[in-house]
Amino acid sequence: VQEFDVIKKYLTFKSYDKNIILNTGDDAAVLTIPAKTQLVTSSDTFLENTHFLQGTPPADIAYKSFMVNLSDMAAMGAVPQWTMLNLTLPAKDDKWLCEFSNQLKEILTNYKISLIGGDTTQGPLSITITIYGFIKDNQFLTRAGAKTDDSIYISNSTGEAALGLLMLQDKYPKNDYFVQKLQRPQAQNKLGLLLKDYANSCIDISDGLICDLNHILLSSNKGAELNLKNLITTSSLNDYCSEDQTKNLILYGGDDYELLWTLSKEKEKKFLKKIKETTVSVQKIGIITDNIGIKENNKKIKIKGWSHF
Ligand code: ADP
Ligand code: MG
């Protein structure tokens, strides 16, 4: 019965969408998919001690668990629309719930996403978010479309969130900029929508630059030749880390939630012109090749990344 109080008090928000015929409060939600529209959906689970350290502020947990899902929508070129929240809590902690709820409200309001249901249970802290987005006319991005000689781009840079984690683990002196990169990543939804008209393939970088690039290469049956000089020399990590450590974090550090995509030579020029009209910073990191594997200066780059198993 307490569960209903929690849902009513902390997990009921405004609906933004006329496609919701039946919202939370019944046994299931009922939704209309508009004509010529496809539903894109994805789900991610957040566990204490696995995805976030014990004692992480509830607002940070709410923020990041949503951003990770929004990042998946960005990578597909989808517009996020609805969400479901499966919440397992050790106890009914009003302070925790209030902070979690306030942050949730802010994100749902900013993105105009409607919470259409979920489940609330008692147990070790766990948050599962399922997100639902729309695309039009089957115009979605995938990992599988990379072509030989495509240019490979990323948004911003990588490795900063991974350094933030090392700082939280007291392996480096703390600096708020990097901790914020870890706890408050910014999903690239506007970029994802723009990329739909240009990119041959796209992925969001969650498990590390090399690991996620490799997902594109495996899905597209291609290889890559990288030029990482600019990415490494301009990295903010250089102020804190040795050259080797910087490169290691850039290549293998996780939790960036930037996008990585490939562009044909023909689309590349048009894309670069278009991106100049925005505030998004992008960099070219290499090209797609027929030869399988990832190389830099003719040397093989080791493929590894974050893995749960
Ligand atoms: P049932 O027993 O039929 O599954 P619940 O008690 O689990 O019903 O949920 C009641 C209503 O509240 C449902 O509409 C469900 O989607 C919604 N709900 C439950 N937990 C959450 C949550 N964490 N976030 C959003 N909605 C929730
Ligand atoms: Mg239920």
Side-chain angles (χ1 to χ4, degrees), residues 16 21 37 79 108 154 173 176 180 194 204 221 228 259 263 276 279 290 298 302:
Y16 291 96
I21 297 171
T37 301
V79 180
L108 297 178
I154 63 166
D176 206 43
Q180 288 288 308
L194 194 148
D204 72 320
N221 197 23
L228 300 168
L259 292 180
L263 296 163
K276 277 212 186 99
T279 54
D290 271 328
N298 274 317
K302 203 172 152 192

Side-chain angles (χ1 to χ4, degrees), residues 3-4 7 11 24-27 85-87 115-120:
E3 174 195 336
F4 297 114
I7 297 165
L11 300 170
T24 52
D26 215 303
D27 287 315
L85 169 65
N86 291 44
L87 193 57
L115 183 64
I116 55 167
D119 203 14
T120 307

Side-chain angles (χ1 to χ4, degrees), residues 5-6 16 30 52 65 67 72 89 91 110-111 113 127 168 187 224 226-227 239 246 289 296 306:
D5 293 341
V6 169
Y16 291 96
V30 179
F52 53 90
S65 50
M67 273 307 148
D72 284 324
L89 300 169
N110 285 346
Y111 283 83
I113 297 171
I127 293 106
L168 283 186
L226 301 184
N227 181 346
D239 295 342
T246 294
T289 60
E296 190 202 10
W306 167 254

Side-chain angles (χ1 to χ4, degrees), residues 133-180:
F134 285 169
I135 51 143
K136 286 262 184 243
D137 301 319
N138 279 306
Q139 265 222 325
F140 52 90
L141 295 162
T142 73
R143 302 174 175 190
K147 306 276 185 297
T148 301
D149 293 332
D150 272 7
S151 295
I152 307 167
Y153 279 80
I154 63 166
S155 56
N156 298 309
S157 60
T158 57
E160 292 181 335
L163 180 58
L165 179 61
L166 293 174
M167 287 175 173
L168 283 186
Q169 293 167 335
D170 290 327
K171 290 171 186 156
Y172 282 84
K174 243 183 223 116
N175 177 299
D176 206 43
Y177 172 82
F178 295 96
V179 174
Q180 288 288 308

Side-chain angles (χ1 to χ4, degrees), residues 42-102:
S42 153
S43 190
D44 273 290
T45 295
F46 281 76
L47 297 173
E48 191 169 60
N49 297 324
T50 303
H51 299 97
F52 53 90
L53 302 171
Q54 205 165 3
T56 300
D60 287 341
I61 296 172
Y63 181 93
K64 189 158 174 184
S65 50
F66 261 89
M67 273 307 148
V68 166
N69 278 277
L70 289 173
S71 181
D72 284 324
M73 290 290 112
M76 299 302 290
V79 180
Q81 205 82 17
W82 308 317
T83 187
M84 289 249 185
L85 169 65
N86 291 44
L87 193 57
T88 304
L89 300 169
K92 184 176 174 284
D93 176 341
D94 279 293
K95 186 170 176 282
W96 195 98
L97 278 163
C98 186
E99 286 174 37
F100 185 86
S101 175
N102 286 339

